[in-house]
Amino acid sequence: MKKIFSLTRLLLIALCAFFALNMSAQEQKTYPTQAPMQPAMSEYWIPQPKIVTPGTATQNAFLSAPSDAIVLFDGKDLLEWESSKGGPAQWTVHDGVFTVNKKAGDIQTKRKFENYQLHIEWMIPTNISGKSQGRGNSGVFMQGMYEIQILDNYENETYVNGQAGSVYKQSPPLANAMRKPGEWNVYDIIYSAPVFKEDGTYRIPPTVTVIQNGVLLQNHTTILGTTEYIGFPKVKKHDAGPIVLQSHGDPSEPISFRNIWIREL
Ligand code: MG
């Protein structure tokens, strides 16, 4: 009986030693570290979207807000807006438009939104300088998370998933429908907010349709996650959020906006 007991004990000790050795062997294993992502790793330049000349519009014949819209800017003031850093929006209102104040940073709506149709007009100044991403860069962020790029892509190429009308670093536009500097560009954006599961992942991802100057750029495009300059989009649970306008750090001349309204869906 004693012999059986000590045999069992020996067997247990051997098993423990085996697992201990195995574990320490696993602990000693090394794996290569992942290379850090660089911005260019998520940028691609071809194929360039075809250039489509949009229909003409007279300078002052813009589409005013329909009866059920919330007017976010009617040419007078920025009372619907605030600085993304907190406090009043410090961009410059003049002549019925407002112009980016790069020192003041991004601005955003005081109201928060989910699903909507947004109308927004923007103009690249005639004295614009710079190239690629450093030429009239701004952007409209839906729910403060997902950027539709604003950029001067009139005779200015850049990586296609970062050009005007792209879901930035995700989905290039179907066409390049830019008007030249000094003329107003119009975005009509139809956005559906995501629905989240309990675990914070998308049950239904956000989607966006973008029309620039009457030309379709994004056709009910699925947004993969947050806008990231470096690396892949992330899925982050969020509630209703503001519309954010970007003050980009490039040194080119600031762009202007006018006639902004939204219809909640
Ligand atoms: Mg931008």
Side-chain angles (χ1 to χ4, degrees):
M1 189 65 170
K2 208 172 174 183
K3 210 171 178 180
I4 293 172
F5 182 70
S6 48
L7 267 174
T8 314
R9 229 167 65 168
L10 264 175
L11 196 62
L12 272 171
I13 291 166
L15 269 171
C16 287
F18 172 78
F19 283 120
L21 276 171
N22 200 30
M23 271 179 74
S24 70
Q26 274 184 11
E27 276 163 15
Q28 284 164 12
K29 261 190 182 175
T30 53
Y31 296 96
T33 52
Q34 194 173 6
M37 290 287 289
Q38 303 294 330
M41 289 178 178
S42 53
E43 298 163 4
Y44 59 99
W45 288 69
I46 51 173
Q48 288 279 330
K50 64 179 176 181
I51 293 170
V52 176
T53 305
T56 52
T58 55
Q59 286 296 298
N60 292 310
F62 63 70
L63 200 62
S64 58
S67 60
D68 64 348
I70 298 166
V71 176
L72 296 174
F73 180 67
D74 64 359
K76 295 189 185 84
D77 56 56
L78 289 174
L79 292 178
E80 285 285 339
W81 299 81
E82 62 188 3
S83 167
S84 297
K85 298 174 190 165
Q90 302 279 6
W91 291 13
T92 317
V93 180
H94 60 98
D95 308 312
V97 310
F98 66 84
T99 298
V100 178
N101 173 357
K102 295 201 180 190
K103 285 186 188 143
D106 298 351
I107 63 168
Q108 63 187 47
T109 53
K110 292 176 182 170
R111 298 177 203 246
K112 293 181 168 55
F113 300 100
E114 290 187 299
N115 308 303
Y116 53 77
Q117 171 189 347
L118 172 70
H119 178 98
I120 184 165
E121 305 188 11
W122 50 278
M123 188 184 72
I124 304 293
T126 50
N127 63 340
I128 193 73
S129 61
K131 61 177 186 176
S132 188
Q133 293 286 304
R135 188 177 168 92
N137 197 329
S138 182
V140 190
F141 283 77
M142 282 86 64
Q143 299 194 290
M145 312 284 279
Y146 314 113
E147 182 182 9
I148 297 298
Q149 176 69 300
I150 288 177
L151 191 68
D152 180 19
N153 285 117
Y154 186 83
E155 298 179 351
N156 173 45
E157 290 187 345
T158 188
Y159 47 91
V160 295
N161 57 343
Q163 80 175 62
S166 62
V167 178
Y168 184 72
K169 290 269 181 124
Q170 293 186 31
S171 175
L174 294 168
N176 177 339
M178 287 294 304
R179 291 202 171 109
K180 60 182 157 192
E183 296 181 6
W184 286 93
N185 286 279
V186 180
Y187 272 174
D188 287 293
I189 296 173
I190 295 105
Y191 173 71
S192 293
V195 177
F196 291 92
K197 296 183 197 169
E198 288 275 308
D199 67 2
T201 58
Y202 293 139
R203 183 177 303 285
I204 304 170
T207 57
V208 70
T209 294
V210 180
I211 297 167
Q212 181 183 10
N213 304 327
V215 179
L216 183 68
L217 304 189
Q218 299 290 341
N219 184 7
H220 196 66
T221 301
T222 298
I223 297 171
L224 305 173
T226 56
T227 296
E228 302 291 336
Y229 176 51
I230 298 172
F232 303 111
K234 296 180 175 67
V235 176
K236 284 185 190 160
K237 197 173 182 184
H238 60 82
D239 297 319
I243 290 160
V244 176
L245 298 181
Q246 185 184 44
S247 164
H248 191 267
D250 74 84
S252 72
E253 294 66 21
I255 76 163
S256 297
F257 292 88
R258 73 175 186 186
N259 190 25
I260 307 174
W261 49 262
I262 191 167
R263 292 183 62 248
E264 291 182 288
L265 304 173

